[in-house]
Amino acid sequence: MAQSLRLMFSSGVALGLGVAALPAMAQEQPEQPAMQRVEVTGSSIKRIAAEGALPVTTVTAEAIRASGVTSMADLVQRMSTVQGSTGESASVGGQTFGFSGISIHNVGETRTLVLLNGKRLAQFGGQTLTGFAAGFDLNSIPLSAIDRVELLTDGASALYGADAIAGVVNFITKRDRTDADITVGYSHPKDGARERRFSLTKGFGSLDEDGWNVMLTFGHDERTKLTSGSRSFANTGERTFSANGKQYRIQQFSASPIPANVLNDRGELISPALRTSGSCPTKTFRVTQPYTIDGENFVDDYCGYDFVKDLEIFPERKRDSLMLSGTTKAFGQELYADVLLSQTKQSSRIAPVPGQVSIDAGTALHNQYLVPLGITGDTVAFYRLFDLGQRTSNDIAQFASAVFGSRGSFAGWDYDASYNFSKSKVRGDISGYPGALAVSNLTSSGLLDPFVGPGQQSAAAQQAISATAYNGYWDGGVSELNSVALTGSRSLMQLAGGAMMLGVGVNFNREEFSSKPSLFAQGALADPVAGTLCGGAAGLECDQRFGDAASSLPYTAKRNSKGVFAELVMPVIKNLELGAAARYDHYSDFGSALTGKASFKWSPTTNFLVRGSVGNGFHAPTVPQVNAALQSFGVTSENYTCSPELQQVAAANGALCRPGSAQYDQLAGGNQTLKPEKSRQATLGFRYEPFRALSLGADIWTVAIRDTFGQLSEQVVFANPLQFPNSWGSQVDIATGRNYLAFKADNQNLGKSYATGIDWDITGRYRTPWGALTSQLNISQMLREKGQLEQNGEYFSAIANFAELGTVTFRNRGTWRNTLKTGNFSTTLSANFKSGYRDQETLVDVLDAGGNVTGQEEVRYKVKSFATFDLQTVWTPNATWSVTAGVLNLADKEPPFVPSTSGANRGQQFGYDDRYYDARGRTAYINASYRF
């Protein structure tokens, strides 16, 4: 019983997924052999795992196999303590290169440290200069190689250094096995996103009997695309909904359709096709926007393009991974090596490219289409080059890691010495994009007609359009980490409660990041298709990508760091253990930091434990956040109309407002005065088992961070443009020569943030006439969260509130899992739930009973709570075969309607929020494993 209690207390029972191995006390166990000392996540000291005092969640390989998840990204998304992580669907319209991260308690992906077998890994090679994706890409970890996942929901910067403010996730791979495992699987959602997978694991040699062991794991999986048209909740940008006793309409669109919209002589955006035919063309709908400038009334009346119809809301993907681990005994020590190679290929497609072209007065196009509408001067057409086909991003993310080391005992010390190299390389290819000058030349020559519909260009024009298409490398990056580390632990002296333990360590790291935009992305080509450089003796004009001002700059930046730490564990009396840790880090580019942690564990009885910790943390900015030059950085997430204040800001910058409702270009860059984030965090929890069939526990945690990294919110700046004079710049549109206002989203230390919550779990067991029933409930509850968007500014909260912070923190998130074991079958019914929230204030049309627009209102829609049910059965007829079959989202529950469209790390999907809800719907799956 005492041993079982220690096991329960160390693992936190079955937190997160609710699928970890049950505490040993729930079962009749034969006498156990003596437990070996191991290193547990959250401590540098080798000790019996059951003695740990920090909240560590353990998810085993068997539990992962039974859960039905097919990737590490899916696994962490199901953990109740994980919120705010980026998923693969964010690549739809966003340059994420397929990145999937993990954020504990929504404190941040960049503040959550990911380890592989306790070793650091290189950050994602596709990270941006603002810090997005500056974490580890979970797609690089092969699910089939994992023995267990340990998740520490307590800041551990004193042991691990920067990035561990929110917590630590340690993926531990299989070792010292001689059996083989072949697994095949298939997942079947409706109409797309179907997966096939295969994995092989084989061990050779026994470490105890042969003195060596080699483990080899290979995994391959493929997924098909899922189009927006396959889901009724995601298939259009024009939606009606009810709220507040009224009927509303919201339109998500682009002002660049086919045929084109134009500006009239008053600067109003109109549709020639609408004016001449009385209706909007296919894939568009009518948009009417009245506004006032300097007391004069204007009306934009045009056709908005429904780009939502063209999206693939779940990307096509292929992944391959190879994990090789070797261990041998030599001179009484263990020499080991771990090598991981992985590659993820992903393709995502969105609507054909939009952009602007100039239409000069007196040209054939002007005379034919615009003069009859009363347009007499030069103007600009807002056009979509539909005949070029969908824009496609083909991304390849490669990861390589090699660790070589020695561990064992020497002179009374348990030690681990290692060298670690890891590298993340990302390449993004594009197709369906032309150069802006190439399109402008086609229009001015009269060959391209932007006022005809899809497929109505002349044969010569179609051939010329196809010749402008750029297909090839666009952008990418490489991130490398070289690290040398030495840790050791030993017993110092006997105290009343046991041996005092000391752990020490030292590490040396070298980080390097290189941004590698193509010459096209740099704006350094006169002819992107031919690869002709601009400038030179001929003075050729530089072209850029049609539709956006792309002029990324290549750069390489390096950083050296070193750290030293010490940890003490002191069992001062029989039932009370105290711990302390301290760490010193020095960075070559911005200085030093000292962090520390104190902890305790008190066990007044054999079935009750209280534990807690307090410490401070430190998070260094990424190399790009410090060193990148100011450059183009995409566009704003929302459309904005030109208010009088925005017009004033544009004039002050010698620029123009964008016509109609439009996205604005963004600028961003590094900041060499950026200070590191500093944190204070604490936890307090208990574990209690009143009797054999019931165990429960809770941990309350809090994190306070100052000098947080970030950018001023575009929503805040556009709402008060005159208050932020340093947040503006300008960008010249190459196709039209017009200098438009641009939003500057540069890196800053924004202020402070605070977060507090409770992680609950309860496990009950009951033996029924049909078998053993286990019920596990895990809930992560947020009590407080608030943050500033500027130094000394107002505090905002994201708890049940999608507004200023650009994200949502669910007040309650959890899983209720019920498993019945009967003979060779284990059947589980799970409920996964998230509480509701208030959506961002959104301007919508008000409809009367006949569906006619009567006005507009700002509405804050209440998004409903959301729950899905999963059913799965594991059949194990013998020690050789295992078959898992099940259905995820059993009732085929659709994501709740969400009218807003903006938000950090969000794709172009509309009608639901792809960050929080899965569009795949009901998914049947089967996995079969053969062991020999």
Side-chain angles (χ1 to χ4, degrees):
M1 172 70 79
Q3 182 189 55
S4 300
L5 277 168
R6 290 195 300 271
L7 286 170
M8 179 190 74
F9 293 156
S10 71
S11 66
V13 198
L15 295 172
L17 268 180
V19 294
L22 294 178
M25 66 181 68
Q27 309 163 19
E28 295 294 331
Q29 296 280 358
E31 184 176 351
Q32 299 292 321
M35 289 188 289
Q36 301 297 313
R37 294 184 181 272
V38 297
E39 188 172 320
V40 180
T41 302
S43 177
S44 64
I45 295 174
K46 267 200 169 185
R47 51 211 298 246
I48 296 173
E51 295 177 2
L54 297 178
V56 178
T57 301
T58 300
V59 183
T60 65
E62 290 75 18
I64 294 172
R65 185 192 300 267
S67 70
V69 299
T70 60
S71 68
M72 280 301 167
D74 287 343
L75 174 68
V76 302
Q77 289 291 348
R78 289 174 173 268
M79 293 182 173
S80 60
T81 53
V82 173
Q83 290 202 53
S85 304
T86 301
E88 294 171 282
S89 62
S91 64
V92 179
Q95 190 170 310
T96 70
F97 300 103
F99 174 78
S100 293
I102 179 170
S103 169
I104 296 176
H105 294 142
N106 206 16
V107 176
E109 291 171 327
T110 60
R111 303 183 186 117
T112 301
L113 178 61
V114 176
L115 305 174
L116 181 64
N117 294 321
K119 303 296 189 293
R120 277 182 169 269
L121 300 163
Q123 294 179 340
F124 188 53
Q127 63 184 278
T128 69
L129 54 85
T130 60
F132 168 70
F136 180 74
D137 181 21
L138 297 179
N139 289 305
S140 302
I141 299 288
L143 195 69
S144 53
I146 297 302
D147 179 68
R148 67 186 185 277
V149 181
E150 294 179 351
L151 188 147
L152 171 64
T153 56
D154 174 82
S157 294
L159 295 174
Y160 297 108
D163 311 338
I165 287 177
V168 180
V169 184
N170 191 6
F171 295 99
I172 300 170
T173 58
K174 298 173 183 176
R175 293 184 178 279
D176 198 18
R177 292 174 50 177
T178 58
D179 60 342
D181 184 311
I182 297 176
T183 299
V184 294
Y186 179 69
S187 296
H188 187 91
K190 179 184 177 182
D191 297 330
R194 295 172 181 172
E195 295 188 32
R196 297 179 297 173
R197 50 193 170 271
F198 167 82
S199 67
L200 169 65
T201 301
K202 180 67 176 79
F204 304 90
S206 169
L207 195 60
D208 290 335
E209 298 178 5
D210 304 316
W212 61 275
N213 175 257
V214 174
M215 289 293 302
L216 175 67
T217 300
F218 171 76
H220 172 81
D221 65 82
E222 300 180 7
R223 183 183 63 213
T224 62
K225 65 185 180 183
L226 177 65
T227 64
S228 61
S230 300
R231 297 294 182 265
S232 61
F233 54 82
N235 62 0
T236 180
E238 188 171 43
R239 299 288 299 271
T240 59
F241 64 98
S242 299
N244 309 319
K246 300 179 181 180
Q247 280 290 114
Y248 297 106
R249 182 187 70 179
I250 185 169
Q251 296 175 318
Q252 172 73 336
F253 60 90
S254 167
S256 298
I258 179 171
N261 295 318
V262 297
L263 294 176
N264 64 16
D265 289 344
R266 283 167 48 85
E268 297 168 317
L269 191 61
I270 67 168
S271 168
L274 175 62
R275 293 290 178 93
T276 55
S277 68
S279 62
C280 284
T282 303
K283 286 196 174 186
T284 69
F285 42 74
R286 188 170 184 174
V287 179
T288 304
Q289 295 172 326
Y291 56 97
T292 301
I293 297 179
D294 296 331
E296 188 175 358
N297 295 324
F298 297 83
V299 177
D300 289 333
D301 186 12
Y302 57 95
C303 297
Y305 186 79
D306 191 354
F307 65 85
V308 177
K309 291 181 178 295
D310 295 330
L311 300 179
E312 293 180 1
I313 56 179
F314 240 86
E316 182 181 348
R317 185 199 65 210
K318 290 183 180 180
R319 286 187 301 212
D320 291 282
S321 60
L322 176 66
M323 182 79 191
L324 179 65
S325 297
T327 310
T328 185
K329 291 183 177 180
F331 309 107
Q333 312 301 312
E334 286 187 4
L335 305 180
Y336 64 91
D338 293 327
V339 176
L340 170 62
L341 302 174
S342 68
Q343 178 174 273
T344 302
K345 294 183 178 180
Q346 179 174 283
S347 296
S348 59
R349 300 171 182 87
I350 58 176
V353 63
Q356 301 174 30
V357 292
S358 295
I359 308 293
D360 295 335
T363 60
L365 289 173
H366 188 275
N367 293 335
Q368 179 181 355
Y369 295 104
L370 305 185
V371 170
L373 300 178
I375 300 175
T376 61
D378 297 342
T379 188
V380 173
F382 294 74
Y383 179 57
R384 186 168 299 269
L385 206 57
F386 189 89
D387 294 321
L388 206 56
Q390 286 178 291
R391 287 169 285 173
T392 302
S393 296
N394 294 307
D395 301 320
I396 301 176
Q398 297 174 324
F399 182 79
S401 173
V403 179
F404 305 95
S406 173
R407 57 183 170 234
S409 297
F410 181 77
W413 288 83
D414 292 323
Y415 77 94
D416 188 330
S418 64
Y419 164 71
N420 176 19
F421 168 80
S422 58
K423 179 178 181 179
S424 173
K425 182 179 180 181
V426 168
R427 175 189 174 96
D429 290 3
I430 60 171
S431 62
Y433 290 89
L437 286 179
V439 177
S440 179
N441 291 336
L442 285 180
T443 308
S444 60
S445 70
L447 195 58
L448 174 66
D449 187 343
F451 300 108
V452 299
Q456 295 179 9
Q457 301 286 343
S458 66
Q462 185 59 66
Q463 184 177 358
I465 290 171
S466 299
T468 66
Y470 177 84
N471 300 302
Y473 178 66
W474 172 249
D475 202 354
V478 178
S479 176
E480 289 188 9
L481 173 66
N482 283 271
S483 180
V484 177
L486 173 64
T487 61
S489 64
R490 65 169 299 161
S491 173
L492 289 181
M493 58 183 295
Q494 283 296 124
L495 299 179
M500 176 191 291
M501 301 292 293
L502 170 68
V504 295
V506 61
N507 64 272
F508 301 90
N509 300 329
R510 180 176 178 83
E511 299 174 69
E512 181 174 346
F513 179 79
S514 297
S515 174
K516 298 180 177 295
S518 65
L519 291 174
F520 188 17
Q522 295 177 47
L525 296 178
D527 185 341
V529 176
T532 306
L533 292 173
C534 58
L540 298 176
E541 188 175 359
C542 297
D543 203 354
Q544 293 182 3
R545 196 165 68 174
F546 182 61
D548 62 321
S551 55
S552 301
L553 300 176
Y555 63 90
T556 296
K558 302 176 182 180
R559 165 189 293 163
N560 295 325
S561 64
K562 52 189 175 184
V564 59
F565 72 87
E567 178 188 9
L568 276 176
V569 173
M570 299 165 286
V572 292
I573 58 176
K574 183 177 181 181
N575 298 322
L576 177 63
E577 177 183 283
L578 302 179
R583 181 182 183 91
Y584 173 80
D585 286 284
H586 177 76
Y587 284 74
S588 60
D589 52 356
F590 64 83
S592 305
L594 182 64
T595 53
K597 175 183 283 291
S599 62
F600 79 94
K601 181 189 72 172
W602 178 48
S603 307
T605 66
T606 56
N607 61 354
F608 183 70
L609 175 146
V610 180
R611 63 188 177 198
S613 68
V614 62
N616 67 319
F618 156 81
H619 179 208
T622 66
V623 174
Q625 280 179 302
V626 175
N627 295 287
L630 184 67
Q631 56 193 276
S632 298
F633 193 70
V635 296
T636 58
S637 62
E638 289 192 51
N639 292 357
Y640 298 94
T641 56
C642 189
S643 65
E645 293 82 4
L646 203 60
Q647 178 68 43
Q648 185 176 339
V649 170
N653 284 270
L656 300 171
C657 274
R658 290 278 181 180
S661 177
Q663 294 172 297
Y664 279 70
D665 288 323
Q666 281 192 156
L667 304 171
N671 181 355
Q672 295 195 351
T673 66
L674 206 62
K675 296 183 291 186
E677 296 178 330
K678 300 290 183 68
S679 71
R680 292 182 179 179
Q681 54 264 343
T683 62
L684 180 64
F686 76 91
R687 311 284 330 152
Y688 181 49
E689 183 167 292
F691 48 88
R692 216 172 145 172
L694 178 67
S695 60
L696 54 94
D699 289 282
I700 184 170
W701 56 271
T702 184
V703 178
I705 307 173
R706 60 183 170 91
D707 295 325
T708 58
F709 305 142
Q711 299 78 40
L712 290 175
S713 164
E714 67 174 73
Q715 292 82 8
V716 172
V717 174
F718 273 87
N720 305 279
L722 296 176
Q723 294 183 20
F724 303 96
N726 296 325
S727 294
W728 302 103
S730 63
Q731 285 279 81
V732 175
D733 186 291
I734 296 297
T736 64
R738 295 194 169 202
N739 187 33
Y740 286 116
L741 184 68
F743 169 60
K744 188 186 297 183
D746 52 343
N747 294 314
Q748 299 183 30
N749 291 113
L750 295 182
K752 300 177 181 178
S753 69
Y754 301 91
T756 302
I758 303 179
D759 298 328
W760 304 84
D761 71 274
I762 181 169
T763 301
R765 310 163 193 85
Y766 182 69
R767 189 166 296 279
T768 73
W770 306 278
L773 175 66
T774 301
S775 183
Q776 301 171 322
L777 177 64
N778 306 279
I779 300 176
S780 184
Q781 182 179 30
M782 293 296 300
L783 302 179
R784 180 185 72 152
E785 181 193 68
K786 61 180 184 179
Q788 293 175 305
L789 291 174
E790 56 180 317
Q791 290 280 359
N792 304 315
E794 183 181 354
Y795 283 92
F796 303 97
S797 176
I799 296 180
N801 177 49
F802 176 34
E804 297 83 4
L805 297 180
T807 185
V808 175
T809 300
F810 294 94
R811 184 172 295 279
N812 295 293
R813 181 179 182 188
T815 301
W816 184 24
R817 186 177 177 86
N818 300 275
T819 301
L820 179 66
K821 291 187 176 181
T822 305
N824 296 328
F825 291 89
S826 177
T827 302
T828 300
L829 176 65
S830 301
N832 314 289
F833 54 90
K834 297 175 180 176
S835 54
Y837 64 91
R838 295 283 302 279
D839 194 29
Q840 187 178 52
E841 194 171 73
T842 305
L843 184 65
V844 297
D845 297 325
V846 183
L847 305 180
D848 62 17
N852 302 305
V853 177
T854 60
Q856 290 186 315
E857 283 185 16
E858 294 279 359
V859 172
R860 290 206 68 189
Y861 187 75
K862 186 175 181 180
V863 180
K864 298 179 181 178
S865 58
F866 186 70
T868 60
F869 294 88
D870 303 333
L871 178 65
Q872 53 248 8
T873 295
V874 180
W875 177 45
T876 311
N878 51 49
T880 301
W881 282 98
S882 176
V883 179
T884 303
V887 180
L888 305 177
N889 193 355
L890 187 63
D892 200 21
K893 185 76 172 291
E894 293 185 352
F897 173 66
V898 178
S900 66
T901 58
S902 66
N905 310 332
R906 189 170 178 179
Q908 288 189 4
Q909 297 89 333
F910 177 67
Y912 71 105
D913 197 321
D914 66 286
R915 299 173 297 175
Y916 310 122
Y917 307 106
D918 194 325
R920 285 174 288 189
R922 182 190 293 124
T923 302
Y925 70 90
I926 186 168
N927 297 315
S929 297
Y930 177 65
R931 300 180 182 88
F932 59 95

